Amino acid sequence: MIEKTFLNPTTNKQWRIEIDGHTIRTCLNGGKVKEILCDSAFQVRSKAASAMMGQMRKGFVYQNRDAAVGQARCHRFVGKDSNGFMPLAASPARDDFFLTRVVGDFEDETLYHFDGSGEILETVSLGGKRMTYEQVLCPNDTLSKAVYRVTEGEYVLVDLKSAQKVVIPNAGWHPFFSPDDQCFSVGGRFYLTQTGEEIANPFPFSVRQGLNFSDTCMVRTRGSLMAVQQDRGSSPIELWDTGSGQLLASIDDPFVVRQVNFAFTQSGLVLHTDYGAMSIYSCAL
């Protein structure tokens, strides 16, 4: 059973939600308990996410600073972007992170600066008639490898220290490097980054074959940790320790439905959706 209590810091009211099988129960400030019966797991996720979003839009925030690995540390509503596009900038070397969203009909663009518990440290107006497509937060580390897609059927791996290039024939999507940069994967296949030689899957989890651009596959790394979401739609995000080959957690909250982006911070995994919700999951090991 999933149970979460949200607090509105302005009114000091509480709102609780319980998800028990196909039954959802909600209660505002100790009042009458409302019960929602669902027909399927998908309906449970959809209705639970909708109920939580409704309260979060009113200012309710979920926070649990003592969350275990893979459990939510924070859920809050940041604000729906006009284009459903909210670039995320985070680094495994620090706990604070940034989100950017367009306000109204390009009337303004706002940069949000959060701390590791999900509190807003500051907001900055970037001005109207603009939209940030991507932002990068310096990890205070040395980038050594890069990859880019040159044609519909080729990728080029570049060693930024030696300028050595390796061409890899592959028409797949969703490339990622292993934590030690020794292996590169795209489209469910694996290669040595130094030579481009194809190898067997070195990871403890299987990777789907034939992924195309519309799939929601995404992999993020922090040291030996890998966060993996392979299927489009409502698949969970798996948190793996590649050193031990252990699955640490499967993040399957109702907000992991229309996944847009997620990234590691120093002690957490930040997730945001295209309907304005931001979540932080504990990854402190």
Side-chain angles (χ1 to χ4, degrees):
M1 184 174 72
I2 297 176
E3 182 178 333
K4 295 179 185 292
T5 299
F6 290 70
L7 175 68
N8 189 318
T10 302
T11 64
N12 208 34
K13 290 184 177 181
Q14 292 186 344
W15 180 80
R16 190 180 77 251
I17 182 170
E18 296 178 358
I19 304 173
D20 185 5
H22 285 183
T23 303
I24 302 172
R25 301 180 187 91
T26 64
C27 179
L28 177 62
N29 220 36
K32 181 180 179 180
V33 175
K34 296 181 180 179
E35 191 169 273
I36 304 172
L37 301 179
C38 302
D39 298 327
S40 65
F42 175 81
Q43 192 178 58
V44 170
R45 296 169 64 89
S46 178
K47 288 186 176 295
S50 178
M52 286 190 277
M53 280 300 301
Q55 296 301 322
M56 289 163 60
R57 286 175 181 272
K58 298 175 184 177
F60 284 84
V61 178
Y62 173 80
Q63 288 185 313
N64 179 9
R65 298 176 188 273
D66 299 321
V69 172
Q71 298 299 309
R73 190 186 296 166
C74 174
H75 296 304
R76 76 180 307 146
F77 180 69
V78 178
K80 185 171 175 59
D81 187 283
S82 299
N83 298 281
F85 195 91
M86 295 174 63
L88 168 67
S91 165
R94 50 196 288 184
D95 263 335
D96 61 331
F97 61 94
F98 298 82
L99 276 174
T100 303
R101 77 178 184 97
V102 173
V103 180
D105 188 17
F106 292 92
E107 297 158 11
D108 193 8
E109 186 176 37
T110 303
L111 175 69
Y112 292 84
H113 184 193
F114 295 93
D115 68 12
S117 63
E119 294 288 348
I120 299 176
L121 298 176
E122 60 179 331
T123 59
V124 179
S125 172
L126 302 178
K129 305 302 180 184
R130 54 167 285 153
M131 183 174 73
T132 299
Y133 282 91
E134 188 173 10
Q135 53 189 1
V136 178
L137 185 60
C138 179
N140 298 321
D141 200 355
T142 302
L143 181 67
S144 61
K145 303 287 182 181
V147 63
Y148 55 94
R149 184 183 176 100
V150 290
T151 69
E152 289 188 359
E154 281 187 340
Y155 283 82
V156 174
L157 280 169
V158 182
D159 187 314
L160 299 180
K161 294 180 179 178
S162 66
Q164 179 183 353
K165 296 181 180 180
V166 176
V167 178
I168 294 180
N170 192 305
W173 295 80
H174 312 295
F176 65 91
F177 287 100
S178 63
D180 60 6
D181 283 347
Q182 298 303 303
C183 171
F184 167 73
S185 176
V186 62
R189 299 167 69 180
F190 307 87
Y191 308 88
L192 293 176
T193 54
Q194 294 297 327
T195 64
E197 176 187 355
E198 187 167 358
I199 59 174
N201 181 1
F203 302 112
F205 51 87
S206 61
V207 175
R208 278 184 53 200
Q209 302 294 310
L211 294 170
N212 62 51
F213 74 94
S214 64
D215 290 316
T216 317
C217 175
M218 189 179 295
V219 177
R220 293 289 184 261
T221 65
R222 189 191 79 197
S224 65
L225 288 182
M226 295 189 81
V228 183
Q229 188 189 39
Q230 297 201 52
D231 296 321
R232 61 194 304 182
S234 58
S235 64
I237 298 172
E238 294 181 341
L239 186 64
W240 289 84
D241 183 339
T242 58
S244 65
Q246 182 181 2
L247 176 62
L248 301 177
S250 182
I251 300 173
D252 199 21
D253 266 351
F255 285 126
V256 188
V257 178
R258 298 178 62 193
Q259 180 58 35
V260 173
N261 201 4
F262 57 89
F264 277 112
T265 61
Q266 191 171 40
S267 66
L269 184 74
V270 179
L271 175 154
H272 75 81
T273 65
D274 61 356
Y275 45 74
M278 181 276 292
S279 301
I280 305 173
Y281 294 88
S282 178
C283 293
L285 299 178

